[in-house]
Amino acid sequence: GKHRIVIPCLGHFKEEYEKVSKLYMNNKIRTTRYTLLNFLPRNLFEQFHRIANLYFLFLVVLNWVPLVEAFQKEITMLPLIGVLTIIAVKDGLEDYSRYKMDKQINNLVTKVYSR
């Protein structure tokens, strides 16, 4: 199994420390839900878990069927697109504020006491 080696004074052991420290996760705090690459798919996935959004999506899909078409196709898409956009902007701003707070916490100066 793996075990952890803690070297308080690097001195001669700097190379060994660099090799060993690559095996472990860093100590940074990350409370954000999204990255730039997964924001859109993950946000849409989370939004379509809400029943109201699924209902609006059902109405949009139903309106594309020529037999059932009640309004113009684009008009039925507006409420869904509006709600999804507003919620995505809100989630993005909240996640960005979490990112800034994480960055601030991760860059705090820490005192380490040893003998």
Side-chain angles (χ1 to χ4, degrees):
K2 293 182 180 179
H3 61 280
R4 186 172 182 180
I5 301 172
V6 178
I7 305 171
C9 179
L10 293 179
H12 310 66
F13 304 105
K14 187 173 183 174
E15 291 176 15
E16 183 180 349
Y17 169 75
E18 289 173 355
K19 281 191 266 183
V20 171
S21 65
K22 291 178 185 176
L23 300 174
Y24 298 100
M25 296 294 295
N26 60 16
N27 200 20
K28 290 186 179 182
I29 294 172
R30 182 176 179 265
T31 59
T32 58
R33 278 192 264 174
Y34 309 109
T35 64
L36 288 175
L37 294 176
N38 74 1
F39 176 75
L40 191 60
R42 189 166 181 185
N43 188 269
L44 288 174
F45 179 76
E46 289 176 6
Q47 286 192 45
F48 282 117
H49 273 82
R50 297 180 182 145
I51 301 296
N53 291 344
L54 284 175
Y55 173 73
F56 282 116
L57 181 65
F58 175 72
L59 289 179
V60 168
V61 170
L62 192 62
N63 204 34
W64 282 85
V65 177
L67 235 59
V68 188
E69 183 178 347
F71 305 107
Q72 291 179 350
K73 297 171 186 164
E74 295 80 18
I75 291 177
T76 56
M77 292 173 62
L78 287 178
L80 180 64
I81 291 173
V83 167
L84 293 179
T85 303
I86 290 170
I87 294 174
V89 168
K90 178 190 70 89
D91 288 346
L93 291 174
E94 286 177 358
D95 208 53
Y96 182 69
S97 67
R98 279 191 221 110
Y99 166 75
K100 288 193 318 187
M101 187 62 74
D102 292 347
K103 191 173 179 182
Q104 182 182 7
I105 290 171
N106 288 330
N107 290 327
L108 287 175
V109 177
T110 307
K111 292 182 179 180
V112 177
Y113 295 101
S114 64
R115 291 185 198 184

